[in-house]
Amino acid sequence: MSDDRQLLIVEDDETFARTLRRSFERRGYTVESAASHDGLQVLLAGGLVPTHAVLDLKLSGSVSGLACVQAVRAAAPDARIVVLTGFASIATAVEAIKLGADHYLAKPSNTDDIEAAFARTQGDAGASVDARQSSIKTVEWEHIHQTLVDTDFNVSETARRLGMHRRTLARKLEKRQLK
């Protein structure tokens, strides 16, 4: 086992974070964890330079995991960063990769999935581009989410740009449990 594999976990679900921690420690990683962006900042200010990071996209509070991607990438340019989310969308996947994530995995993902993502350094040009048909609800959600990202998650401005009433948009967001 190697001590040079320093893993950082940023996950607000305490049970899931503890499970990941134990599993990665058994695989020889030295693990530090934080439950929020603020906790991440404390670890990074203390000199932590992770070689690997697992970041939850949707953290409780006002700061998303996307800000954590930026912070980790700035502190550890060579770190392998995997973003986990239960709210996968094309818009957030694109933003996470643009901000420096190496991979984006939908929950539920286990330690094997995450380690496989850490190991993959190249894209797959042979990946099927027509593997699934998007439903109209998926396309609608992805369009709403991209507009939310474009407006910095301002619901009123997003509703205006989409040409819908703010309350209608709010109801759609409640169904998707987006804060």
Side-chain angles (χ1 to χ4, degrees):
M1 304 292 167
S2 173
D3 285 335
D4 63 340
R5 294 190 303 171
Q6 177 70 50
L7 175 66
L8 170 64
I9 299 171
V10 180
E11 170 64 62
D12 59 353
D13 178 341
E14 187 178 321
T15 303
F16 184 59
R18 187 173 46 250
T19 301
L20 280 179
R21 172 188 277 275
R22 287 179 183 158
S23 185
F24 277 104
E25 285 175 340
R26 281 193 297 269
R27 293 174 186 228
Y29 289 81
T30 301
V31 181
E32 294 289 338
S33 60
S36 66
H37 183 266
D38 291 340
L40 166 66
Q41 293 293 11
V42 169
L43 289 173
L44 295 176
L48 177 68
V49 181
T51 58
H52 299 78
V54 177
L55 310 174
D56 186 19
L57 179 67
K58 188 175 179 205
L59 299 169
S60 53
S62 62
V63 180
S64 79
L66 294 175
C68 295
V69 171
Q70 280 185 306
V72 171
R73 183 57 68 210
D78 296 328
R80 303 291 300 155
I81 301 173
V82 172
V83 173
L84 293 181
T85 183
F87 301 89
S89 76
I90 291 172
T92 54
V94 168
E95 290 304 314
I97 299 301
K98 283 181 179 179
L99 292 170
D102 295 295
H103 289 283
Y104 182 95
L105 298 175
K107 288 180 181 177
S109 291
N110 61 32
T111 309
D112 292 333
D113 298 332
I114 296 166
E115 264 201 327
F118 285 154
R120 283 193 61 210
T121 59
Q122 300 291 321
D124 181 5
S128 176
V129 294
D130 54 80
R132 74 170 175 98
Q133 294 267 342
S134 293
S135 71
I136 196 120
K137 286 183 179 183
T138 300
V139 172
E140 176 190 42
W141 171 247
E142 289 172 353
H143 183 62
I144 288 170
H145 199 273
Q146 180 58 53
T147 307
L148 276 166
V149 168
D150 292 345
T151 62
D152 211 21
F153 292 87
N154 181 321
V155 175
S156 295
E157 178 62 16
T158 299
R160 187 189 67 73
R161 288 187 187 184
L162 294 173
M164 68 173 61
H165 195 278
R166 186 189 58 74
R167 278 186 248 147
T168 301
L169 177 59
R171 280 193 294 276
K172 287 180 181 286
L173 295 175
E174 284 175 14
K175 287 180 183 178
R176 287 291 205 159
Q177 298 178 348
L178 180 67
K179 291 181 183 176

